Amino acid sequence: MNFISIQNIDSLDKWVKQALKIKKNPLKNKKLGKNKTLGMLFFNSSLRTRLSTQKAAMNLGMDVIVMNFNSEGWTLEFQDGAVMNQGSSEHIKEAAAVVSQYCDIIAIRAFAGLVDKEKDNAETVISGFLKYASVPVVNMESATGHPMQSLADAITMAEHKTKHRAKVVLTWAPHPRALPQAVPNSFVEMMQKQEDMDFVITHPEGYELNPEITKDSVIEYDQNKAFENADFIYAKNWSNYNDYGKITNTDPNWTVTAEKMALTNNAKFMHCLPVRRNVIVADEVIDSENSVVIEQANNRTYSAQLVLQKILKNGKK
Amino acid sequence: MNFISIQNIDSLDKWVKQALKIKKNPLKNKKLGKNKTLGMLFFNSSLRTRLSTQKAAMNLGMDVIVMNFNSEGWTLEFQDGAVMNQGSSEHIKEAAAVVSQYCDIIAIRAFAGLVDKEKDNAETVISGFLKYASVPVVNMESATGHPMQSLADAITMAEHKTKHRAKVVLTWAPHPRALPQAVPNSFVEMMQKQEDMDFVITHPEGYELNPEITKDSVIEYDQNKAFENADFIYAKNWSNYNDYGKITNTDPNWTVTAEKMALTNNAKFMHCLPVRRNVIVADEVIDSENSVVIEQANNRTYSAQLVLQKILKNGKK
Amino acid sequence: MNFISIQNIDSLDKWVKQALKIKKNPLKNKKLGKNKTLGMLFFNSSLRTRLSTQKAAMNLGMDVIVMNFNSEGWTLEFQDGAVMNQGSSEHIKEAAAVVSQYCDIIAIRAFAGLVDKEKDNAETVISGFLKYASVPVVNMESATGHPMQSLADAITMAEHKTKHRAKVVLTWAPHPRALPQAVPNSFVEMMQKQEDMDFVITHPEGYELNPEITKDSVIEYDQNKAFENADFIYAKNWSNYNDYGKITNTDPNWTVTAEKMALTNNAKFMHCLPVRRNVIVADEVIDSENSVVIEQANNRTYSAQLVLQKILKNGKK
């Protein structure tokens, strides 16, 4: 099995329960990964993903090889039939096949370029590996999705939800640099699999995410209204999807403040990190008792470990 | 023992048989490397070498430390007696001695600069480590040789050769960037140790490799003629050795095509990778059933593992 | 416990004895670090520290995660209350808390910037981790100290001292680039804990180290006079502390030569490495039998292993 998207999760409820079980006893399956190698290929920066996925693999007794592909390897070509007389040194066809022979699982991080929407939606890098690798492939954040993050978010919400039907709000917030839609995309997809939660997306008009992902998810342009009675506020910036990759709004009124949190039902504050303090969220909120951002990061280990564990047990690509 | 050159192989036939034995049961010597550390020092990019050598070491139960020397360490000085008031921060004399105290084996990748032929032939980096290290040194591609690659090539040919006396052709092919002669050098040296194979080198006139390496190997300037009845076609670009490090020929007629492969005895196509598709070789050839490039890369693990295993068993420098 | 400064050493004599015990049998505590992870975060280059600390951790059976923070991670913000709409992507508050969840010990290298004395003295990076990490923090050279180096130096001196009261001289030497005061600072602090040694610092006038560190240590501006009857000469360049981070002297007369060593009591020559040959020290001295620089580097493993071992046994932050 591969883990590329939230759609690879057959039962979110079941997966979350399994992850929480792993969290209680993370070393239980220390022998499962013996003599198995996880290859982690980074095309972009990483802190949490890099460390938590390594930790998860080590908890399973796996060997880990980490590689920064751009600086340590060769520039890859993804176009079939390309005459490679320009910058690219190696075709994904060889690279993926070759790495598959040294690693039992290949995990990849390759962000959106935010220049060419079609190319980003085609998921050039991860799709290339998926097509040409002979071993399972894991998404450590691709151009359009970050499913291990959203699985960790689901775990965190499961730990904090109370008995009533929870209201979850994904709110856009301003940011000085253009960011991908990967995290909100996967969060939306994950929320669509939540059976006992209400979900609202709030963002400035024009900042709609890919409608093929949001589908019939509720969108509320009035952030204050969206926050009313919320149990979880999930803040995240993304750049404009329609005016692709552009920053068309930097309105500081969208920053999550204590005043706005006061509109909620004592909501937990969530963010995938790294977060720009006092731009995305005010110190007073992220430093409050209701902030669970550090716990989310902690759950990245168990999210990754569940995915690796399932792949190790399942075996084949 | 060190492994610096094909000349360190006492019996190629024996080594290939040992490597094939390792391939059948790669974890058999998992305890041999226990509490031993392989230090892998990279002065240049690497994909196959980086991953396969790590894999080999892990198969032997070794600990591995990987270091990108240029970006993570200090700029080295190799000149004896240098007054180090310029760019270099550390002399190889200290660096090699120091690393020897943390690692049981030091593996090094340091490409040719292709500017100064004498300096490249002097193998400044690997010779420096060889001179000042107190532990065995392994060549992961130096200025003039890539013996672990050629050993993997020998393994691959052993797996594919049929009963008759095989004809092996090393063919130059065009490339947009100036490449070192390390791979063809070691391939030539390895072929000179093959007792039951015929060997022909083909390249444009003027692209002769170092005659001290090719010695009396047959050179045929007519690529078509060279290909006739070949059982293995090994394609590789190298920059001009006489007009040192220059690209003096980019003739696309040297690209390995299906038409040319048709001249052979249903030859296997080989390349060390990374390969420029449709420059070195046409898609139709590298994607054909006769292409064994992925298998060559796989055998890099067993080539490296044999070398490490021999060193671990041998012990001393 | 943390290991941030020489001041964290309760009894230098005891620590040195313990380190020498580890050196005799480095794998004795191989089970102590089982299932424990050391996270090594580098903000600067490293050779000895990188390799010896990994080796030390592996000797203790720990898992190791190495990360080059600047190139592989996110730019950190250290200012409390910052409105993060500029270059920094993540606040130390989150980064340190998050890393603490994946690692049992965090080791950090973050050099002085040598531009802003106050900022360097505030130890922004390591103090930030110390403040916000929930696990023990180890200093792998910070802006103002390099205690694991000085501990290794103390181990080396203990191995080489003879029965009489030894005289130790820390001598400044010229260098083409501006270097931090971290190594001499920690060396001075370590020497202040030596009960049976005499200690003299010698440097050009104006090159005084931070007086809060040197306290009443003897300073002798005449290098020749300082060298008289010395048993250990510890050479090191540092940039001007008063005219902060500037090079105000490059006098080659301060280079340690054989002629100067002849003034000593057959002194051992020491340097933390990397060293500029024939700038800091003449070849004739560093290549002599009295040079113990390679042994110092070797003792870095046992210095680090002692620190990690103490932390693993002590447990809590």
Side-chain angles (χ1 to χ4, degrees), chain C residues 199-228:
Chain C
F199 181 49
V200 177
I201 309 172
T202 181
H203 55 67
E205 284 197 56
Y207 261 84
E208 287 74 18
L209 292 163
N210 184 348
E212 291 178 30
I213 287 171
T214 51
K215 291 172 184 161
D216 57 359
S217 291
V218 177
I219 297 171
E220 168 58 63
Y221 296 126
D222 181 338
Q223 195 190 31
N224 286 349
K225 206 169 157 191
F227 272 43
E228 279 170 19

PDB file of all heavy atoms in Angstrom, chain C residues 199-228:
ATOM      1  N   PHE C 199      48.279  28.533  35.631  1.00  0.00           N
ATOM      2  CA  PHE C 199      47.677  28.907  34.348  1.00  0.00           C
ATOM      3  C   PHE C 199      48.025  30.342  33.977  1.00  0.00           C
ATOM      4  O   PHE C 199      47.894  31.251  34.797  1.00  0.00           O
ATOM      5  CB  PHE C 199      46.153  28.744  34.443  1.00  0.00           C
ATOM      6  CG  PHE C 199      45.430  29.083  33.170  1.00  0.00           C
ATOM      7  CD1 PHE C 199      45.833  28.559  31.935  1.00  0.00           C
ATOM      8  CD2 PHE C 199      44.320  29.931  33.201  1.00  0.00           C
ATOM      9  CE1 PHE C 199      45.151  28.866  30.771  1.00  0.00           C
ATOM     10  CE2 PHE C 199      43.634  30.243  32.035  1.00  0.00           C
ATOM     11  CZ  PHE C 199      44.052  29.715  30.819  1.00  0.00           C
ATOM     12  N   VAL C 200      48.491  30.507  32.750  1.00  0.00           N
ATOM     13  CA  VAL C 200      48.822  31.842  32.240  1.00  0.00           C
ATOM     14  C   VAL C 200      48.168  32.021  30.873  1.00  0.00           C
ATOM     15  O   VAL C 200      48.219  31.108  30.045  1.00  0.00           O
ATOM     16  CB  VAL C 200      50.357  32.011  32.096  1.00  0.00           C
ATOM     17  CG1 VAL C 200      50.688  33.368  31.493  1.00  0.00           C
ATOM     18  CG2 VAL C 200      51.041  31.817  33.435  1.00  0.00           C
ATOM     19  N   ILE C 201      47.573  33.170  30.673  1.00  0.00           N
ATOM     20  CA  ILE C 201      47.037  33.526  29.359  1.00  0.00           C
ATOM     21  C   ILE C 201      47.988  34.536  28.737  1.00  0.00           C
ATOM     22  O   ILE C 201      48.381  35.503  29.399  1.00  0.00           O
ATOM     23  CB  ILE C 201      45.639  34.174  29.464  1.00  0.00           C
ATOM     24  CG1 ILE C 201      44.697  33.310  30.323  1.00  0.00           C
ATOM     25  CG2 ILE C 201      45.036  34.395  28.074  1.00  0.00           C
ATOM     26  CD1 ILE C 201      43.353  33.984  30.629  1.00  0.00           C
ATOM     27  N   THR C 202      48.337  34.315  27.480  1.00  0.00           N
ATOM     28  CA  THR C 202      49.171  35.311  26.817  1.00  0.00           C
ATOM     29  C   THR C 202      48.560  35.709  25.482  1.00  0.00           C
ATOM     30  O   THR C 202      48.065  34.860  24.733  1.00  0.00           O
ATOM     31  CB  THR C 202      50.629  34.814  26.645  1.00  0.00           C
ATOM     32  OG1 THR C 202      51.391  35.854  26.019  1.00  0.00           O
ATOM     33  CG2 THR C 202      50.700  33.575  25.746  1.00  0.00           C
ATOM     34  N   HIS C 203      48.514  37.008  25.243  1.00  0.00           N
ATOM     35  CA  HIS C 203      47.944  37.551  24.000  1.00  0.00           C
ATOM     36  C   HIS C 203      48.420  38.981  23.841  1.00  0.00           C
ATOM     37  O   HIS C 203      48.908  39.589  24.813  1.00  0.00           O
ATOM     38  CB  HIS C 203      46.420  37.477  24.027  1.00  0.00           C
ATOM     39  CG  HIS C 203      45.797  38.134  25.215  1.00  0.00           C
ATOM     40  ND1 HIS C 203      45.833  39.486  25.434  1.00  0.00           N
ATOM     41  CD2 HIS C 203      45.128  37.621  26.278  1.00  0.00           C
ATOM     42  CE1 HIS C 203      45.196  39.776  26.557  1.00  0.00           C
ATOM     43  NE2 HIS C 203      44.784  38.664  27.110  1.00  0.00           N
ATOM     44  N   PRO C 204      48.297  39.532  22.642  1.00  0.00           N
ATOM     45  CA  PRO C 204      48.700  40.932  22.467  1.00  0.00           C
ATOM     46  C   PRO C 204      47.826  41.838  23.341  1.00  0.00           C
ATOM     47  O   PRO C 204      46.662  41.508  23.605  1.00  0.00           O
ATOM     48  CB  PRO C 204      48.418  41.192  20.981  1.00  0.00           C
ATOM     49  CG  PRO C 204      48.315  39.852  20.336  1.00  0.00           C
ATOM     50  CD  PRO C 204      47.804  38.933  21.386  1.00  0.00           C
ATOM     51  N   GLU C 205      48.379  42.933  23.733  1.00  0.00           N
ATOM     52  CA  GLU C 205      47.579  43.900  24.502  1.00  0.00           C
ATOM     53  C   GLU C 205      46.371  44.299  23.699  1.00  0.00           C
ATOM     54  O   GLU C 205      46.450  44.496  22.479  1.00  0.00           O
ATOM     55  CB  GLU C 205      48.424  45.135  24.833  1.00  0.00           C
ATOM     56  CG  GLU C 205      49.415  44.892  25.963  1.00  0.00           C
ATOM     57  CD  GLU C 205      49.937  46.195  26.565  1.00  0.00           C
ATOM     58  OE1 GLU C 205      49.106  47.017  26.996  1.00  0.00           O
ATOM     59  OE2 GLU C 205      51.156  46.375  26.564  1.00  0.00           O
ATOM     60  N   GLY C 206      45.242  44.389  24.333  1.00  0.00           N
ATOM     61  CA  GLY C 206      44.010  44.748  23.651  1.00  0.00           C
ATOM     62  C   GLY C 206      43.180  43.529  23.281  1.00  0.00           C
ATOM     63  O   GLY C 206      42.010  43.665  22.943  1.00  0.00           O
ATOM     64  N   TYR C 207      43.781  42.343  23.361  1.00  0.00           N
ATOM     65  CA  TYR C 207      43.059  41.119  22.992  1.00  0.00           C
ATOM     66  C   TYR C 207      42.499  40.391  24.214  1.00  0.00           C
ATOM     67  O   TYR C 207      42.251  39.192  24.162  1.00  0.00           O
ATOM     68  CB  TYR C 207      43.956  40.190  22.171  1.00  0.00           C
ATOM     69  CG  TYR C 207      43.678  40.310  20.688  1.00  0.00           C
ATOM     70  CD1 TYR C 207      44.266  41.304  19.913  1.00  0.00           C
ATOM     71  CD2 TYR C 207      42.773  39.440  20.067  1.00  0.00           C
ATOM     72  CE1 TYR C 207      43.991  41.426  18.567  1.00  0.00           C
ATOM     73  CE2 TYR C 207      42.488  39.556  18.718  1.00  0.00           C
ATOM     74  CZ  TYR C 207      43.100  40.539  17.968  1.00  0.00           C
ATOM     75  OH  TYR C 207      42.810  40.651  16.630  1.00  0.00           O
ATOM     76  N   GLU C 208      42.279  41.139  25.293  1.00  0.00           N
ATOM     77  CA  GLU C 208      41.733  40.543  26.506  1.00  0.00           C
ATOM     78  C   GLU C 208      40.394  39.865  26.222  1.00  0.00           C
ATOM     79  O   GLU C 208      39.547  40.409  25.524  1.00  0.00           O
ATOM     80  CB  GLU C 208      41.525  41.614  27.593  1.00  0.00           C
ATOM     81  CG  GLU C 208      42.795  42.118  28.230  1.00  0.00           C
ATOM     82  CD  GLU C 208      43.611  43.049  27.315  1.00  0.00           C
ATOM     83  OE1 GLU C 208      43.029  43.573  26.332  1.00  0.00           O
ATOM     84  OE2 GLU C 208      44.813  43.247  27.564  1.00  0.00           O
ATOM     85  N   LEU C 209      40.229  38.701  26.790  1.00  0.00           N
ATOM     86  CA  LEU C 209      38.926  38.017  26.740  1.00  0.00           C
ATOM     87  C   LEU C 209      37.976  38.717  27.707  1.00  0.00           C
ATOM     88  O   LEU C 209      38.378  39.615  28.449  1.00  0.00           O
ATOM     89  CB  LEU C 209      39.103  36.546  27.140  1.00  0.00           C
ATOM     90  CG  LEU C 209      39.890  35.687  26.141  1.00  0.00           C
ATOM     91  CD1 LEU C 209      40.370  34.396  26.815  1.00  0.00           C
ATOM     92  CD2 LEU C 209      39.020  35.353  24.924  1.00  0.00           C
ATOM     93  N   ASN C 210      36.732  38.301  27.708  1.00  0.00           N
ATOM     94  CA  ASN C 210      35.734  38.851  28.626  1.00  0.00           C
ATOM     95  C   ASN C 210      36.245  38.747  30.064  1.00  0.00           C
ATOM     96  O   ASN C 210      36.473  37.643  30.573  1.00  0.00           O
ATOM     97  CB  ASN C 210      34.437  38.037  28.453  1.00  0.00           C
ATOM     98  CG  ASN C 210      33.303  38.585  29.303  1.00  0.00           C
ATOM     99  OD1 ASN C 210      33.501  39.423  30.187  1.00  0.00           O
ATOM    100  ND2 ASN C 210      32.104  38.102  29.030  1.00  0.00           N
ATOM    101  N   PRO C 211      36.444  39.893  30.744  1.00  0.00           N
ATOM    102  CA  PRO C 211      36.986  39.855  32.113  1.00  0.00           C
ATOM    103  C   PRO C 211      36.073  39.123  33.093  1.00  0.00           C
ATOM    104  O   PRO C 211      36.545  38.635  34.124  1.00  0.00           O
ATOM    105  CB  PRO C 211      37.132  41.343  32.475  1.00  0.00           C
ATOM    106  CG  PRO C 211      36.261  42.079  31.505  1.00  0.00           C
ATOM    107  CD  PRO C 211      36.196  41.257  30.269  1.00  0.00           C
ATOM    108  N   GLU C 212      34.810  39.020  32.782  1.00  0.00           N
ATOM    109  CA  GLU C 212      33.907  38.256  33.665  1.00  0.00           C
ATOM    110  C   GLU C 212      34.237  36.765  33.607  1.00  0.00           C
ATOM    111  O   GLU C 212      33.839  35.995  34.472  1.00  0.00           O
ATOM    112  CB  GLU C 212      32.443  38.486  33.271  1.00  0.00           C
ATOM    113  CG  GLU C 212      31.988  39.910  33.573  1.00  0.00           C
ATOM    114  CD  GLU C 212      30.548  40.156  33.149  1.00  0.00           C
ATOM    115  OE1 GLU C 212      29.750  39.197  33.167  1.00  0.00           O
ATOM    116  OE2 GLU C 212      30.237  41.301  32.767  1.00  0.00           O
ATOM    117  N   ILE C 213      34.929  36.380  32.551  1.00  0.00           N
ATOM    118  CA  ILE C 213      35.341  34.974  32.435  1.00  0.00           C
ATOM    119  C   ILE C 213      36.769  34.791  32.953  1.00  0.00           C
ATOM    120  O   ILE C 213      37.044  33.887  33.733  1.00  0.00           O
ATOM    121  CB  ILE C 213      35.201  34.489  30.979  1.00  0.00           C
ATOM    122  CG1 ILE C 213      33.708  34.316  30.665  1.00  0.00           C
ATOM    123  CG2 ILE C 213      35.957  33.185  30.749  1.00  0.00           C
ATOM    124  CD1 ILE C 213      33.386  34.055  29.233  1.00  0.00           C
ATOM    125  N   THR C 214      37.681  35.667  32.521  1.00  0.00           N
ATOM    126  CA  THR C 214      39.081  35.489  32.938  1.00  0.00           C
ATOM    127  C   THR C 214      39.278  35.768  34.432  1.00  0.00           C
ATOM    128  O   THR C 214      40.182  35.225  35.054  1.00  0.00           O
ATOM    129  CB  THR C 214      40.019  36.400  32.128  1.00  0.00           C
ATOM    130  OG1 THR C 214      39.519  37.740  32.165  1.00  0.00           O
ATOM    131  CG2 THR C 214      40.094  35.946  30.678  1.00  0.00           C
ATOM    132  N   LYS C 215      38.439  36.637  34.996  1.00  0.00           N
ATOM    133  CA  LYS C 215      38.537  36.965  36.428  1.00  0.00           C
ATOM    134  C   LYS C 215      39.984  37.267  36.831  1.00  0.00           C
ATOM    135  O   LYS C 215      40.602  38.142  36.253  1.00  0.00           O
ATOM    136  CB  LYS C 215      37.931  35.833  37.265  1.00  0.00           C
ATOM    137  CG  LYS C 215      36.409  35.750  37.108  1.00  0.00           C
ATOM    138  CD  LYS C 215      35.836  34.527  37.777  1.00  0.00           C
ATOM    139  CE  LYS C 215      34.326  34.442  37.494  1.00  0.00           C
ATOM    140  NZ  LYS C 215      33.813  33.109  37.709  1.00  0.00           N
ATOM    141  N   ASP C 216      40.509  36.520  37.776  1.00  0.00           N
ATOM    142  CA  ASP C 216      41.874  36.806  38.221  1.00  0.00           C
ATOM    143  C   ASP C 216      42.911  35.897  37.570  1.00  0.00           C
ATOM    144  O   ASP C 216      44.014  35.719  38.104  1.00  0.00           O
ATOM    145  CB  ASP C 216      41.968  36.741  39.762  1.00  0.00           C
ATOM    146  CG  ASP C 216      41.512  35.387  40.281  1.00  0.00           C
ATOM    147  OD1 ASP C 216      41.122  34.532  39.447  1.00  0.00           O
ATOM    148  OD2 ASP C 216      41.543  35.177  41.510  1.00  0.00           O
ATOM    149  N   SER C 217      42.579  35.303  36.440  1.00  0.00           N
ATOM    150  CA  SER C 217      43.585  34.507  35.726  1.00  0.00           C
ATOM    151  C   SER C 217      44.752  35.405  35.339  1.00  0.00           C
ATOM    152  O   SER C 217      44.560  36.574  34.998  1.00  0.00           O
ATOM    153  CB  SER C 217      42.979  33.888  34.460  1.00  0.00           C
ATOM    154  OG  SER C 217      42.041  32.885  34.802  1.00  0.00           O
ATOM    155  N   VAL C 218      45.965  34.857  35.396  1.00  0.00           N
ATOM    156  CA  VAL C 218      47.162  35.629  35.083  1.00  0.00           C
ATOM    157  C   VAL C 218      47.246  35.902  33.589  1.00  0.00           C
ATOM    158  O   VAL C 218      47.087  34.987  32.780  1.00  0.00           O
ATOM    159  CB  VAL C 218      48.429  34.864  35.545  1.00  0.00           C
ATOM    160  CG1 VAL C 218      49.697  35.633  35.143  1.00  0.00           C
ATOM    161  CG2 VAL C 218      48.374  34.606  37.043  1.00  0.00           C
ATOM    162  N   ILE C 219      47.470  37.167  33.234  1.00  0.00           N
ATOM    163  CA  ILE C 219      47.666  37.524  31.831  1.00  0.00           C
ATOM    164  C   ILE C 219      49.086  38.060  31.668  1.00  0.00           C
ATOM    165  O   ILE C 219      49.531  38.914  32.443  1.00  0.00           O
ATOM    166  CB  ILE C 219      46.649  38.590  31.379  1.00  0.00           C
ATOM    167  CG1 ILE C 219      45.224  38.010  31.474  1.00  0.00           C
ATOM    168  CG2 ILE C 219      46.941  39.039  29.929  1.00  0.00           C
ATOM    169  CD1 ILE C 219      44.124  39.030  31.263  1.00  0.00           C
ATOM    170  N   GLU C 220      49.783  37.531  30.682  1.00  0.00           N
ATOM    171  CA  GLU C 220      51.164  37.936  30.424  1.00  0.00           C
ATOM    172  C   GLU C 220      51.257  38.337  28.951  1.00  0.00           C
ATOM    173  O   GLU C 220      51.047  37.510  28.079  1.00  0.00           O
ATOM    174  CB  GLU C 220      52.104  36.752  30.736  1.00  0.00           C
ATOM    175  CG  GLU C 220      53.520  36.909  30.256  1.00  0.00           C
ATOM    176  CD  GLU C 220      54.188  38.145  30.838  1.00  0.00           C
ATOM    177  OE1 GLU C 220      54.348  38.207  32.072  1.00  0.00           O
ATOM    178  OE2 GLU C 220      54.524  39.070  30.047  1.00  0.00           O
ATOM    179  N   TYR C 221      51.545  39.617  28.696  1.00  0.00           N
ATOM    180  CA  TYR C 221      51.548  40.086  27.305  1.00  0.00           C
ATOM    181  C   TYR C 221      52.798  39.657  26.534  1.00  0.00           C
ATOM    182  O   TYR C 221      52.827  39.733  25.315  1.00  0.00           O
ATOM    183  CB  TYR C 221      51.414  41.609  27.257  1.00  0.00           C
ATOM    184  CG  TYR C 221      50.093  42.115  27.805  1.00  0.00           C
ATOM    185  CD1 TYR C 221      50.044  43.075  28.821  1.00  0.00           C
ATOM    186  CD2 TYR C 221      48.890  41.630  27.289  1.00  0.00           C
ATOM    187  CE1 TYR C 221      48.836  43.532  29.320  1.00  0.00           C
ATOM    188  CE2 TYR C 221      47.669  42.081  27.792  1.00  0.00           C
ATOM    189  CZ  TYR C 221      47.646  43.036  28.797  1.00  0.00           C
ATOM    190  OH  TYR C 221      46.457  43.481  29.276  1.00  0.00           O
ATOM    191  N   ASP C 222      53.833  39.262  27.259  1.00  0.00           N
ATOM    192  CA  ASP C 222      55.070  38.815  26.613  1.00  0.00           C
ATOM    193  C   ASP C 222      54.987  37.305  26.400  1.00  0.00           C
ATOM    194  O   ASP C 222      55.127  36.527  27.347  1.00  0.00           O
ATOM    195  CB  ASP C 222      56.263  39.197  27.495  1.00  0.00           C
ATOM    196  CG  ASP C 222      57.595  38.785  26.863  1.00  0.00           C
ATOM    197  OD1 ASP C 222      57.606  37.877  26.002  1.00  0.00           O
ATOM    198  OD2 ASP C 222      58.618  39.381  27.252  1.00  0.00           O
ATOM    199  N   GLN C 223      54.761  36.904  25.161  1.00  0.00           N
ATOM    200  CA  GLN C 223      54.557  35.483  24.871  1.00  0.00           C
ATOM    201  C   GLN C 223      55.765  34.636  25.284  1.00  0.00           C
ATOM    202  O   GLN C 223      55.607  33.561  25.873  1.00  0.00           O
ATOM    203  CB  GLN C 223      54.263  35.292  23.376  1.00  0.00           C
ATOM    204  CG  GLN C 223      53.685  33.920  23.020  1.00  0.00           C
ATOM    205  CD  GLN C 223      53.645  33.680  21.520  1.00  0.00           C
ATOM    206  OE1 GLN C 223      54.487  34.193  20.778  1.00  0.00           O
ATOM    207  NE2 GLN C 223      52.655  32.926  21.060  1.00  0.00           N
ATOM    208  N   ASN C 224      56.957  35.138  24.979  1.00  0.00           N
ATOM    209  CA  ASN C 224      58.172  34.387  25.329  1.00  0.00           C
ATOM    210  C   ASN C 224      58.252  34.134  26.826  1.00  0.00           C
ATOM    211  O   ASN C 224      58.545  33.024  27.266  1.00  0.00           O
ATOM    212  CB  ASN C 224      59.432  35.143  24.877  1.00  0.00           C
ATOM    213  CG  ASN C 224      59.601  35.057  23.374  1.00  0.00           C
ATOM    214  OD1 ASN C 224      58.921  34.278  22.706  1.00  0.00           O
ATOM    215  ND2 ASN C 224      60.514  35.870  22.833  1.00  0.00           N
ATOM    216  N   LYS C 225      57.960  35.140  27.580  1.00  0.00           N
ATOM    217  CA  LYS C 225      58.011  35.022  29.034  1.00  0.00           C
ATOM    218  C   LYS C 225      56.958  34.015  29.510  1.00  0.00           C
ATOM    219  O   LYS C 225      57.217  33.180  30.381  1.00  0.00           O
ATOM    220  CB  LYS C 225      57.759  36.402  29.652  1.00  0.00           C
ATOM    221  CG  LYS C 225      58.362  36.576  31.015  1.00  0.00           C
ATOM    222  CD  LYS C 225      58.329  38.036  31.465  1.00  0.00           C
ATOM    223  CE  LYS C 225      58.404  38.146  32.971  1.00  0.00           C
ATOM    224  NZ  LYS C 225      58.105  39.517  33.426  1.00  0.00           N
ATOM    225  N   ALA C 226      55.788  34.087  28.906  1.00  0.00           N
ATOM    226  CA  ALA C 226      54.716  33.158  29.280  1.00  0.00           C
ATOM    227  C   ALA C 226      55.124  31.709  29.027  1.00  0.00           C
ATOM    228  O   ALA C 226      54.807  30.804  29.801  1.00  0.00           O
ATOM    229  CB  ALA C 226      53.437  33.493  28.504  1.00  0.00           C
ATOM    230  N   PHE C 227      55.843  31.505  27.912  1.00  0.00           N
ATOM    231  CA  PHE C 227      56.200  30.128  27.523  1.00  0.00           C
ATOM    232  C   PHE C 227      57.248  29.493  28.453  1.00  0.00           C
ATOM    233  O   PHE C 227      57.397  28.279  28.476  1.00  0.00           O
ATOM    234  CB  PHE C 227      56.749  30.110  26.077  1.00  0.00           C
ATOM    235  CG  PHE C 227      55.673  29.955  25.025  1.00  0.00           C
ATOM    236  CD1 PHE C 227      54.469  30.664  25.105  1.00  0.00           C
ATOM    237  CD2 PHE C 227      55.860  29.109  23.933  1.00  0.00           C
ATOM    238  CE1 PHE C 227      53.487  30.530  24.129  1.00  0.00           C
ATOM    239  CE2 PHE C 227      54.875  28.965  22.956  1.00  0.00           C
ATOM    240  CZ  PHE C 227      53.691  29.679  23.054  1.00  0.00           C
ATOM    241  N   GLU C 228      57.979  30.309  29.175  1.00  0.00           N
ATOM    242  CA  GLU C 228      59.068  29.775  30.011  1.00  0.00           C
ATOM    243  C   GLU C 228      58.572  28.704  30.971  1.00  0.00           C
ATOM    244  O   GLU C 228      57.636  28.924  31.735  1.00  0.00           O
ATOM    245  CB  GLU C 228      59.730  30.910  30.810  1.00  0.00           C
ATOM    246  CG  GLU C 228      60.739  31.692  29.966  1.00  0.00           C
ATOM    247  CD  GLU C 228      61.215  32.953  30.673  1.00  0.00           C
ATOM    248  OE1 GLU C 228      61.066  33.030  31.918  1.00  0.00           O
ATOM    249  OE2 GLU C 228      61.703  33.870  29.974  1.00  0.00           O
TER     250      GLU C 228
END
